Every structure is written in C-alpha cells, then in structure tokens.
C-alpha cells in the first residue's frame, strides 16, 4: 500500500510539473525602449506599439497588445514590422525595404515582440490585428520613427 501511494504521488508530482511548466499560448518576451508610436484600435480591443532602442545601429520593435474585452482572452493575434526605403515622411505610406519580422498565433495578451535592426536613419512601419467575433480589428502605423 505504501509503495502504491508513493508511486501515485510521484506520478501526480510529475504531471503537475509538466502542466505548470508547459508554455502558455503567448508570445515570449516584451517590447522595450522608447515608445515612438502607440495607437489604440477603434474597437478598443487592441493596441499597436512601436519602440525604438539605439542598439545595433537602431532597433525598432513592435507588439500588438490585447485591450478591453480581449485582454486575457485567447484570440488570433498578429504583429509585423519592417524597415521602409524612405528616410522621411512620417505618416505616409511605406515602401518596404528588406524582410519583415512577424509573430502570429492564438495569444491572450499580445503578439510580439518583433524587431528590425539598422534603422537609425530609416522609417519603419508596423501592422497588427486581433481576430474577434469573426472580424479582423487591424492597425497600420504607416511610416514612423523617421
């Protein structure tokens, strides 16, 4: 009986560690640096934020955060950032230069961080969305950080 109890307790302990240690459906990390752009989606369900850090020849990162009724609720979430060919003209459309960094999945708090380096003298653009009640609630930043 003691041996059976010990075996059961060992299995319970292993199962608990596996459940507790399992990664949540959430993007790793968080964005950091100086906020250069922040836009709350008109539905209030999401917010796109772009950060700047002077490391690596200038680094911009972006996160799309769940807000309002979506906060803490799993939903399809997407964020992408890329460097623009332009060096000025903040707020205008962007001509993509180089590859984009993207994060997407069913997240409860945010998608991202995603980032691009070598942007010290270039604009960047980011896009993010949350899928909610069958609709895509999206934000385009247009050119920022010029």
């Amino acid at each position: 009986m003691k041996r059976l109890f010990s075996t059961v307790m060992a299995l319970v302990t292993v199962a608990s560690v596996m459940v507790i240690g399992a990664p949540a459906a959430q993007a790793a990390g968080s964005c950091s640096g100086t906020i250069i752009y922040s836009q709350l989606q008109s539905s209030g369900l999401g917010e796109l934020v772009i950060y700047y850090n002077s490391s690596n020849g200038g680094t911009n990162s972006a996160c799309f955060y769940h807000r309002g009724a979506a906060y803490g609720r799993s939903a399809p979430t997407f964020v992408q950032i890329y460097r623009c060919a332009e060096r000025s003209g903040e707020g205008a459309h962007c001509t993509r230069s180089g590859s984009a960094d993207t994060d997407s999945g069913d997240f409860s708090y945010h998608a991202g961080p995603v980032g691009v380096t070598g942007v010290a003298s270039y604009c960047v653009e980011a896009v993010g969305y949350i899928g909610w009640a069958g609709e895509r609630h999206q934000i385009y930043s247009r050119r920022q950080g010029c």
Side-chain angles (χ1 to χ4, degrees), residues 20 24 40 53 72 81 93 104 110-111 123 125-126 129 144-145:
I20 292 169
L40 185 63
N53 185 313
I81 191 169
H93 289 285
S104 65
H110 65 86
C123 306
E125 184 169 4
Y129 70 77
Q144 299 299 320

Side-chain angles (χ1 to χ4, degrees), residues 48-81:
L48 179 63
V49 181
I50 302 174
Y51 301 83
Y52 178 75
N53 185 313
S54 60
S55 66
N56 297 322
T59 300
N60 283 105
S61 58
C63 283
F64 188 87
Y65 296 99
H66 289 209
R67 298 291 187 236
Y71 185 78
R73 305 275 309 272
S74 181
T77 312
F78 172 91
V79 67
Q80 181 179 77
I81 191 169

Side-chain angles (χ1 to χ4, degrees), residues 111-133:
V114 292
V116 289
T117 59
V119 296
S121 58
Y122 291 91
C123 306
V124 296
E125 184 169 4
V127 60
Y129 70 77
I130 184 170
W132 194 262

Side-chain angles (χ1 to χ4, degrees), residues 13-71:
T13 301
V14 169
S16 297
V17 169
M18 289 174 68
V19 169
I20 292 169
Q26 181 62 47
S30 64
C31 291
S32 63
T34 303
I35 295 174
I36 64 162
Y37 174 87
S38 176
Q39 174 78 34
L40 185 63
Q41 205 280 328
S42 62
S43 68
L45 295 171
E47 180 181 16
L48 179 63
V49 181
I50 302 174
Y51 301 83
Y52 178 75
N53 185 313
S54 60
S55 66
N56 297 322
T59 300
N60 283 105
S61 58
C63 283
F64 188 87
Y65 296 99
H66 289 209
R67 298 291 187 236
Y71 185 78

